[in-house]
Amino acid sequence: MFQQFLLIAECSLLTLLLTVALLIGIHLYNVKLEEPYLERIFGEEYRRYKESTPRYFGMPKRRNK
């Protein structure tokens, strides 16, 4: 019984580590490659959009007045 628990715990830990690595990879891709590309293509319009929109989720950013 305890060996089955350890096997499940090891699989869960591996899944967690792979998920975190994937999320970090997606974040780095967005920040380092995709966002600068979109800034070059759309210019100031994209920069305004980026300032008023959260990157992933959450409350919208407040505009500075």
Side-chain angles (χ1 to χ4, degrees):
M1 172 100 170
F2 186 69
Q3 290 175 344
Q4 291 172 340
F5 174 76
L6 288 177
L7 180 61
I8 292 171
E10 287 176 8
C11 290
S12 295
L13 180 60
L14 179 60
T15 302
L16 176 64
L17 293 175
L18 290 174
T19 301
V20 168
L22 179 65
L23 290 174
I24 290 171
I26 290 170
H27 173 75
L28 291 175
Y29 172 80
N30 281 338
V31 171
K32 299 292 184 183
L33 297 174
E34 187 177 23
E35 288 182 4
Y37 171 76
L38 292 171
E39 285 184 19
R40 282 193 307 275
I41 299 297
F42 297 107
E44 186 59 33
E45 182 180 357
Y46 179 72
R47 283 190 268 298
R48 284 193 312 268
Y49 166 79
K50 202 166 77 168
E51 287 175 5
S52 64
T53 307
R55 180 173 280 143
Y56 298 114
F57 54 88
M59 298 297 292
K61 295 179 182 178
R62 293 183 182 186
R63 291 182 181 229
N64 294 334
K65 292 183 179 182

